[in-house]
Amino acid sequence: MASLDIEHIGKRFGTVEVLKDIHIGIGHGDFLVLVGPSGCGKSTLLNIIAGLDTSTSGAIKIDGKAVNHLEPKERDIAMVFQSYALYPSMTVGENIGFSLEMAGMPKEERRKRIAGVADLLKIGHLLDRRPSQLSGGQRQRVAMGRALVREPKIFLFDEPLSNLDAKLRVEMRTEIKKLHARLGATIVYVTHDQIEAMTMATRIAVMKDGILQQFGTPADIYDRPANSFVATFMGSPAMNLLDGEIVARGNSTALRLDGVQGDAAILPIPATADPSALTPGQKVTLGLRPEWIAEPGTGRARDVQSLPFTIDVLEPTGPDIFLALRLGTVEIMGRLPADAQVREGETRILDVDYGKAVLFDRQTGTAIYAAPALSRAA
């Protein structure tokens, strides 16, 4: 395992800038997930780390040493691809041990290394089979085994689960996380799936249009999103965004929601926000996650705002119920336990855990936080 520093990496294809000053650092044994929509530059960044592509600017450092000038085989990195990339004419054992054979490792030592990895991945009984005889999940384990057997400093995963069905994705996600816990390996993992990012990572880098939007722990990203893009991209259902305006209220300020009438239209400034950064007339957006909405008396929140919601649609999912709600003319998603006593078509008071609410500047999308400031990448 090793530390990895991605120092101000930029990448251009002609006049098109696909990576813009990406700066991230992780320590020994970290599990970094690069997440973002298609085309955000995450796979390009992974290829630059691997040495399969070159950066226009910046440096990649492993254990403090720049590796930009090194060929992929000299970086002591192993990569697991989305397509598995197994040799169809070779057995599972031959696929796993191919890199060791090319490196000139003696046959007996190679056999022990292959057997150890196969036992770790629970594919020892498959060593004599060909890839065509394997399921998708088994092929992915073989691809992982081929990377593990080299015992590299860093493992790179490029959307390795995207070809699997939903059930297998969950199973393999768990297996990769177990593997990380056993090996203490340093991993960089690319995905567009925010559930994979939240469940697997020790550190997450959220990207959009080649720009690093936020870098932090899963809790940082989820509870204190740096901007409205991160807030809506991370989480399912997405965070609700309600437009409003800062208004004067006596000697202080308050939030007036657009599209809402009566007392429910005026809310206090959320505790997470910095009132000194707000001025009357400023256009803002209030962020509320669906699970912060609860039936009265059922939540544990200390700072509660009770508001009248109209329930348009109920969507049972098994353990939860998703609710399509309206506050005035504003549409909101809620998430309640499966046994919640709610009915479609009714208007009723629901509690909002307002102590977690986030305020964003509507023009820039940037979150307006009170001290201490959010820790993010430089």
Side-chain angles (χ1 to χ4, degrees), residues 2-4 60-67 75 77 153-154:
S3 63
L4 173 68
I60 300 294
K61 293 183 178 179
I62 297 175
D63 282 338
K65 298 179 180 179
V67 296
R75 298 191 181 194
I77 286 174
K153 287 184 176 180
I154 298 175

Side-chain angles (χ1 to χ4, degrees), residues 110 192 289 330:
R110 194 165 72 237
H192 61 272
R289 291 210 177 273
V330 181

Side-chain angles (χ1 to χ4, degrees), residues 222-223 239 287-294 351-353 356-358:
Y222 194 78
D223 294 332
M239 177 179 277
L288 300 173
R289 291 210 177 273
E291 62 270 24
W292 298 347
I293 298 173
D351 287 348
V352 175
D353 186 350
K356 297 179 180 178
V358 182

